[in-house]
Amino acid sequence: MTPLYAACTIAAPNYLAHAKVLASSLGRFHPDMPLFVLVPGARGLQDGRAFFSSPNVRLLDVGDLSLPGRRRLAIRYGTRQLCAALKPVLLTHLLEQGIETVVFLDPDMLVTAELGPLLEGTRRHSLTLTPHIDGSVHLPGPVFERELLLTGIYNAGCLGVSNRNDTVRFLGWWGNRLRTYCLEEIRQGIHYDQRWLDLAPGFVEDCWVLCDPGVNAGWWRLPFYDWVSSGDGFLIGGTKLRLFHASGYDPARPEQVTRYHPHWRVESLGGARTLFETYQRLLVEAGWNRYSSLPSLRPDGWQPLFDMYHRLLLQAGRNGSKGLGGVWSTGRVVYRSAAAWAQWARGSFTGCKRR
Amino acid sequence: MQYAAATVASKSRIALARVTARSFVDRHPEIPFFHLLADEPPLGTQLGSEPARSLPFETLELPREEQFRFRYTEMELSYAVTPFLIARLLEQGYDGVLFLKQETLVLQPLDDVFSRLQHHSVILTPHLIQPPRKRAALSRELNVLQAGVFNGGVVAFNASREARRVLSWWMEKTSRTCRLAVQEGLHYEQRWLDWVPVLAPGCCILRDPGINIGHWNLAERCVRFEPPGFTVNGVPVRVFRFSGYRPDRPQSVSRYDARRVKQTGDAARIFARYREMLMEAGWSETFNLSYGWDYFDDGSRITPVMRAVYHSLGEHVEGFGNPFQTSGDTSFHAWLREYYPQEFEPHA
């Protein structure tokens, strides 16, 4: 039977422990809410169900989605980019299955209380976005206001969609953009999947900006609120912490809060310190040591080559052409023809393989 | 409820302000329209902006006004004072203020926009209200992501606490960083508006295809002449924007867009009408008027480099006093002569 509402996440094999922690924490507060876990490149995980102790988890393979050219996509993108680019595709797929409302959650999240406000907003509105900062209470301040103008006001790690026409149209457009332009090019207005969301309040009629400090609380809220543990949960600025987002946190370097601010130390966090420590312990219990060593989807050495390829595509796209016709310059080097570029590319490939 | 509408323009753009004012006042004779002159007042001759009520720059009572004027070029200054003008009018007791940028034509009444101000602190109009389908879709999306999701040409604020909070934040931003640097996330006053839905939960995102039609969305807005008026995607055309349009190049939609006016279908008639109105409003006689604050008090020219240097000095400029002043050893002018003498050489 098709559920009325569901959650979903995308976890590359090396994020499976994260997904497992997310699943069991979600199951604790919403036992009847299924969590669809899309595991790209999970051919070796047919028996993946065994990894998840929660009965609410349903594993999906990229093959389950209708995604033409998915092999090409998987080759072009690194793990992080691929997972981001699949987000709208997964959401569309679930809505097409007849599920009325779906929330997307990044795998590096921990549910610490009922997700009431998020689910309520998702049910009522076409699209629910969570801004990094609740500006109605706190001004973003000189550091964040510029940083977030470049990387995106709304966090792409958590969003809610309901099955309405303009949502479906928006997801179609977003997915289409991410097929080619899921990259870091902040000067041009692109930051992976996230910056595109800034256009959503224009594109979607009933777009809801959910300003709840306890929903999707990541490092961006650390400077603004007191985080304190209370009972078996946490309070953030006096509000119940519902959804913690350990964005940029690496359990292998538990002293560092996030890779986006390398100098922030967990030990100087005050109340939030316990939360990070708890999260790290949960990850280890879920088998993080084992999963983290799973190979990423393709050799990372190929990344620079494909980054360059995407930049070329972007340049071509801005000039109005779909393919790479005529654009073989990267600013520094100009290739006289597609063949010349391909020859150079082949050289780089072999180089990567040898390493 | 007492509402007001307003625009900002320097002397060389006065014809644009007159046309915006005329088109607005014809539809809303009950609402006063103000024009803030972001320029030195003209000497001797009268340069009215009827039917707008003209406000001199001092009306804004900017703190350290000379610094503000020196920091920015003519266009930057016009953009930077937008929130200051809105806030000033709210202080004077109006319940809501609609700001229209100078190159705007109002074709139909905007009653519902004003009535929305009873329930919404801020009204914003997005550049794009649907994913663009045709013509340079990607390019236009990225331009909007770089320039700001909401258009700074049509914004309205009411007198609520929430609106004033956003305004004072916006004023703080534009008083220092109203310039173009997309790689730093800056696009004059406009890019800051991206924050508004987060700062003001009570804001209204107005997605009416008849409002704020401009070169950035013309491909999605099908303008038709259906007597007696114009419609767009089935609703009346109410606010048309002519950003980057020049009446002496009437074939071109905008200097930011390669399209020709004749390719815009029935919208070409609106362009033609706008051009006529500009000419009647004295565009030919006024567009060459020089900007008063481009000169030191001895008449020598202030170059963009000087402004940029002044800006980069941050708080250190306090000691210079009035930056337009050339007398005295401690003036900014004297400092420039010492460190940037090349800026005073006449350019070939």
Side-chain angles (χ1 to χ4, degrees):
Chain A
M1 208 183 78
T2 313
L4 273 178
Y5 64 113
C8 65
T9 191
I10 300 175
N14 56 342
Y15 263 71
L16 276 175
H18 293 73
K20 204 166 159 180
V21 171
L22 171 68
S24 54
S25 68
L26 181 72
R28 191 175 148 213
F29 296 98
H30 296 279
D32 56 338
M33 186 174 184
L35 173 71
F36 291 87
V37 183
L38 174 67
V39 189
R43 258 188 233 136
L45 288 170
Q46 262 97 2
D47 56 345
R49 254 163 251 277
F51 291 114
F52 290 93
S53 47
S54 322
N56 57 341
V57 169
R58 309 195 186 170
L59 283 178
L60 288 175
D61 180 64
V62 180
D64 298 330
L65 310 175
S66 79
L67 183 66
R70 60 171 173 272
R71 213 172 265 164
R72 252 178 300 153
L73 201 66
I75 287 180
R76 288 211 320 250
Y77 282 146
T79 310
R80 178 184 174 187
Q81 285 166 299
L82 181 68
C83 291
L86 290 173
K87 216 176 274 185
V89 186
L90 173 62
L91 286 168
T92 308
H93 169 77
L94 295 175
L95 293 180
E96 276 172 1
Q97 303 296 303
I99 306 175
E100 281 303 311
T101 60
V102 185
V103 291
F104 177 87
L105 305 173
D106 262 358
D108 52 355
M109 284 181 158
L110 182 72
V111 182
T112 55
E114 307 82 44
L115 298 177
L118 175 63
L119 301 179
E120 183 67 21
T122 305
R123 198 156 41 234
R124 284 200 187 169
H125 304 277
S126 300
L127 176 68
T128 302
L129 298 177
T130 51
H132 289 97
I133 288 161
D134 175 6
S136 62
V137 180
H138 297 277
L139 291 174
V143 177
F144 284 101
E145 66 195 7
R146 295 279 281 277
E147 182 177 339
L148 296 177
L149 279 178
L150 290 169
T151 58
I153 303 240
Y154 308 98
N155 184 262
C158 169
L159 60 160
V161 297
S162 63
N163 203 345
R164 299 191 198 167
N165 284 343
D166 54 346
T167 317
V168 173
R169 183 179 68 176
F170 173 77
L171 290 173
W173 165 81
W174 193 28
N176 202 9
R177 285 289 170 255
L178 296 185
R179 285 180 70 86
T180 323
Y181 311 116
C182 184
L183 56 148
E184 171 82 329
E185 192 60 69
I186 53 174
R187 285 156 163 267
Q188 304 250 18
I190 302 179
H191 179 68
Y192 301 109
D193 53 333
Q194 186 164 280
R195 186 81 161 83
W196 300 102
L197 290 178
D198 286 2
L199 289 168
F203 286 179
V204 180
E205 165 122 43
D206 185 11
C207 175
W208 171 243
V209 176
L210 172 65
C211 284
D212 183 318
V215 175
N216 197 5
W219 55 262
W220 45 86
R221 294 198 191 146
L222 283 169
F224 295 95
Y225 299 94
D226 277 337
W227 301 46
V228 290
S229 59
S230 123
D232 61 345
F234 286 87
L235 291 178
I236 165 167
T239 315
K240 195 181 267 186
L241 177 72
R242 298 171 190 277
L243 185 61
F244 170 59
H245 191 174
S247 168
Y249 175 73
D250 180 359
R253 307 186 61 187
E255 72 286 351
Q256 195 185 68
V257 173
T258 170
R259 65 168 183 272
Y260 302 108
H261 291 275
H263 56 286
W264 291 9
R265 301 280 119 190
V266 168
E267 59 182 15
S268 48
L269 281 187
R273 178 181 173 175
T274 349
L275 184 61
F276 278 82
E277 287 168 357
T278 309
Y279 186 61
Q280 206 246 0
R281 181 174 50 77
L282 291 172
L283 285 178
V284 172
E285 283 169 13
W288 171 78
N289 292 317
R290 183 156 47 114
Y291 296 118
S292 64
S293 57
L294 289 178
S296 52
L297 298 180
R298 62 166 169 71
D300 285 337
W302 292 15
Q303 194 57 49
L305 175 71
F306 281 104
D307 280 350
M308 185 171 161
Y309 176 68
H310 285 115
R311 292 208 166 85
L312 288 171
L313 281 178
L314 178 64
Q315 209 172 328
R318 291 213 68 151
N319 294 340
S321 63
K322 282 211 177 94
L324 276 179
V327 188
W328 297 98
S329 139
T330 55
R332 214 176 335 149
V333 194
V334 179
Y335 298 92
R336 292 200 181 280
S337 66
W341 188 80
Q343 197 179 4
W344 171 85
R346 268 197 299 275
S348 305
F349 271 114
T350 18
C352 291
K353 270 181 191 160
R354 241 180 265 133
R355 247 191 307 163
Chain B
M1 288 286 172
Q2 276 288 310
Y3 297 115
T7 195
V8 180
S10 58
K11 282 181 294 204
S12 64
R13 319 276 286 175
I14 199 123
L16 286 84
R18 287 174 184 157
V19 170
T20 306
R22 165 58 54 211
S23 70
F24 179 84
V25 170
D26 282 353
R27 269 88 207 168
H28 285 286
E30 77 287 3
I31 296 177
F33 191 98
F34 294 94
H35 160 235
L36 180 93
L37 183 66
D39 203 335
E40 199 171 48
L43 285 171
T45 54
Q46 270 298 348
L47 195 68
S49 42
E50 294 81 24
R53 304 185 191 177
S54 192
L55 300 173
F57 197 71
E58 303 85 76
T59 319
L60 299 180
E61 293 176 9
L62 296 177
R64 298 192 176 83
E65 190 198 292
E66 306 87 11
Q67 295 188 11
F68 206 104
R69 289 193 271 111
F70 197 91
R71 194 175 298 134
Y72 291 129
T73 61
E74 176 179 3
M75 191 173 78
E76 287 167 348
L77 186 78
S78 286
Y79 293 166
V81 295
T82 306
F84 290 88
L85 173 60
I86 299 171
R88 195 82 193 103
L89 291 170
L90 289 174
E91 268 170 39
Q92 290 180 1
Y94 290 102
D95 300 301
V97 176
L98 170 67
F99 177 81
L100 297 172
K101 220 176 230 180
Q102 48 185 301
E103 63 282 85
T104 301
L105 191 66
V106 179
L107 290 97
Q108 289 292 323
L110 299 167
D111 296 286
D112 64 306
V113 177
F114 287 104
S115 61
R116 272 169 209 266
L117 283 177
Q118 291 176 24
H119 309 288
H120 295 283
S121 52
V122 189
I123 297 177
L124 297 171
T125 53
H127 281 107
L128 301 171
I129 55 172
Q130 67 193 72
R133 288 164 306 195
K134 298 175 271 185
R135 265 199 91 250
L138 173 72
S139 175
R140 283 189 289 142
E141 283 161 22
L142 293 177
N143 287 345
V144 166
L145 283 171
Q146 292 171 8
V149 172
F150 305 103
N151 186 271
V154 182
V155 277
F157 286 78
N158 71 12
S160 66
R161 243 175 94 183
E162 185 176 283
R164 284 164 191 270
R165 177 172 174 267
V166 174
L167 267 179
S168 53
W169 174 81
W170 197 18
M171 290 194 280
E172 190 197 312
K173 298 302 136 202
T174 64
S175 62
R176 289 269 162 210
T177 39
C178 184
R179 56 196 173 89
L180 180 67
V182 290
Q183 70 281 7
E184 295 171 42
L186 297 175
H187 196 283
Y188 304 112
E189 89 295 9
Q190 183 170 269
R191 188 71 209 285
W192 296 110
L193 293 175
D194 285 13
W195 271 107
V196 173
V198 175
L199 300 178
C203 83
C204 163
I205 294 168
L206 188 59
R207 301 173 68 256
D208 181 331
I211 289 183
N212 226 342
I213 305 165
H215 64 81
W216 50 85
N217 58 24
L218 255 175
E220 283 78 47
R221 312 265 172 118
C222 178
V223 176
R224 289 239 168 90
F225 181 57
E226 290 174 17
F230 291 90
T231 62
V232 53
N233 303 1
V235 304
V237 172
R238 297 200 286 166
V239 179
F240 205 99
R241 303 280 326 288
F242 297 89
S243 168
Y245 173 78
R246 286 193 54 145
D248 53 348
R249 287 183 209 134
Q251 318 83 352
S252 165
V253 165
S254 163
R255 66 190 157 105
Y256 308 112
D257 192 320
R259 209 157 15 151
R260 323 294 290 168
V261 166
K262 64 182 177 200
Q263 295 170 289
T264 62
D266 287 356
R269 289 165 178 252
I270 304 180
F271 278 93
R273 185 151 121 203
Y274 182 63
R275 182 170 182 273
E276 258 169 49
M277 289 179 78
L278 280 179
M279 291 309 178
E280 278 167 30
W283 184 83
S284 312
E285 299 87 64
T286 51
F287 84 99
N288 263 334
L289 291 175
S290 72
Y291 177 57
W293 294 323
D294 257 349
Y295 303 92
F296 288 100
D297 62 4
D298 68 349
S300 58
R301 198 171 173 91
I302 299 166
T303 65
V305 171
M306 296 176 186
R307 295 194 195 273
V309 168
Y310 189 75
H311 183 92
S312 69
L313 291 175
E315 303 301 327
H316 299 293
V317 298
E318 293 294 338
F320 292 129
N322 181 348
F324 290 92
Q325 196 180 311
T326 51
S327 56
D329 297 341
T330 58
S331 70
F332 182 59
H333 187 267
W335 186 88
L336 277 173
R337 280 207 168 277
E338 187 175 345
Y339 291 100
Y340 289 85
Q342 70 279 11
E343 282 301 307
F344 290 92
E345 284 159 19
H347 295 285

